[in-house]
Amino acid sequence: MIEKIESAQQLADWTKRDLFSVRILALLASYGCQYRFCSFYRQTEGEQITAIIGKLDGNITLALSDAYDREELVRFLCLTGYTSVLCADTFELNPRYSQGVVMSCKRKPALVPTDAAIDEYPKLMDLFNFIDYAEQDFKAWYVDISHRVRHNTAKAYALLIDGEIISTGILSSLYDGDAVLSAVRTGDAYRRKGYGSALVRAICNDVSGTVWLMRDEDKNEAFYRQIGFENTGRWRMYQ
């Protein structure tokens, strides 16, 4: 059975922690259940929660146990409608998807000193312009990320030299000590000089639990491995 939840307590028995769970639970901690544009669901079998679902506008994230009912979830998604569905690659929905690798880091990597300064409260407009989000609406992005930052479910970082941003990273989801890292970028003139690695190391040390990230299939594996990340699964985005 799939039911819409009315309070966070209804997901209290979901103890799994992976990239997808942290995204959903951080979203729930950010917005709660009172907004029409943001909703949450759980799939149950008897007393057991077998899957949890977070929906922000048309974008859905699925977190799955080993006992989830695929056919029921597919029917639910088709009836509800979606712009995108993010989940583990074990879930099959339709032939139109992109996919990549989930990595995680549980240990605290050694910090690397640099001549740059870390700003833990950068201006979001400066970050947006530096990261250069493709086809992302600034207003929608700003409203969401600033709301999360105010509710301590996200945190932004920038590395600066002489007041200029040279590298960025955002913990776009924070929940109970765990985090999802995104928007890691270093300016072209400062790449391969250790700045990006120094910032990611500092971010990992700022998180008490596990840091997860999504990377493309053939990109940046060596960069993240030398920091301490390991491949722990695969993500899939249906559209």
Side-chain angles (χ1 to χ4, degrees):
M1 179 177 70
I2 296 177
E3 59 181 340
K4 186 176 182 180
I5 71 163
E6 302 298 333
S7 75
Q9 185 60 32
Q10 291 176 273
L11 295 187
D13 291 338
W14 183 265
T15 57
K16 185 174 184 177
R17 292 297 176 266
D18 58 9
L19 180 143
F20 312 103
S21 300
V22 172
R23 279 177 57 99
I24 296 169
L25 295 172
L27 184 64
L28 178 58
S30 299
Y31 289 101
C33 300
Q34 69 269 33
Y35 296 103
R36 294 181 64 182
F37 61 83
C38 188
S39 53
F40 303 89
Y41 305 83
R42 66 179 186 177
Q43 182 188 65
T44 57
E45 178 65 36
E47 299 292 322
Q48 181 185 8
I49 300 176
T50 55
I52 63 173
I53 304 162
K55 184 176 183 181
L56 180 62
D57 295 321
N59 300 307
I60 290 175
T61 301
L62 295 180
L64 309 168
S65 75
D66 292 335
Y68 73 91
D69 184 331
R70 175 189 171 273
E71 291 185 2
E72 185 180 51
L73 284 172
V74 170
R75 288 195 301 270
F76 169 81
L77 293 170
C78 292
L79 288 171
T80 304
Y82 58 87
T83 303
S84 67
V85 176
L86 177 66
C87 56
D89 70 334
T90 53
F91 182 76
E92 296 181 358
L93 179 58
N94 64 52
R96 301 183 303 278
Y97 61 82
S98 56
Q99 64 181 7
V101 179
V102 175
M103 302 189 80
S104 67
C105 183
K106 296 182 179 181
R107 66 183 181 86
K108 305 307 168 197
L111 296 174
V112 177
T114 72
D115 56 347
I118 296 178
D119 183 358
E120 295 186 5
Y121 304 95
K123 293 180 180 179
L124 294 181
M125 179 175 287
D126 292 342
L127 272 189
F128 184 88
N129 291 334
F130 180 83
I131 296 167
D132 190 25
Y133 284 104
E135 301 179 1
Q136 171 71 57
D137 176 68
F138 170 73
K139 184 177 180 181
W141 178 86
Y142 178 85
V143 169
D144 180 46
I145 198 69
S146 61
H147 181 89
R148 293 172 186 250
V149 169
R150 289 196 305 273
H151 286 78
N152 298 314
T153 57
K155 188 172 182 179
Y157 303 80
L159 203 61
L160 310 178
I161 290 182
D162 296 330
E164 176 188 357
I165 295 178
I166 65 167
S167 189
T168 61
I170 297 178
L171 296 176
S172 53
S173 299
L174 277 168
Y175 181 79
D176 195 27
D178 295 329
V180 177
L181 177 63
S182 61
V184 176
R185 180 179 183 271
T186 300
D188 294 344
Y190 296 94
R191 290 179 181 174
R192 302 187 184 280
K193 296 181 180 181
Y195 290 113
S197 175
L199 180 60
V200 173
R201 288 169 182 270
I203 292 172
C204 288
N205 275 272
D206 199 30
V207 174
S208 60
T210 301
V211 179
W212 280 275
L213 60 84
M214 296 164 50
R215 68 172 178 83
D216 291 335
E217 187 75 49
D218 300 316
K219 293 183 179 179
N220 303 320
E221 180 174 6
F223 171 81
Y224 287 112
R225 279 193 177 278
Q226 57 90 18
I227 292 171
F229 283 85
E230 298 178 349
N231 295 335
T232 52
R234 299 180 63 81
W235 60 266
R236 183 171 287 183
M237 178 77 79
Y238 291 98
Q239 292 179 313

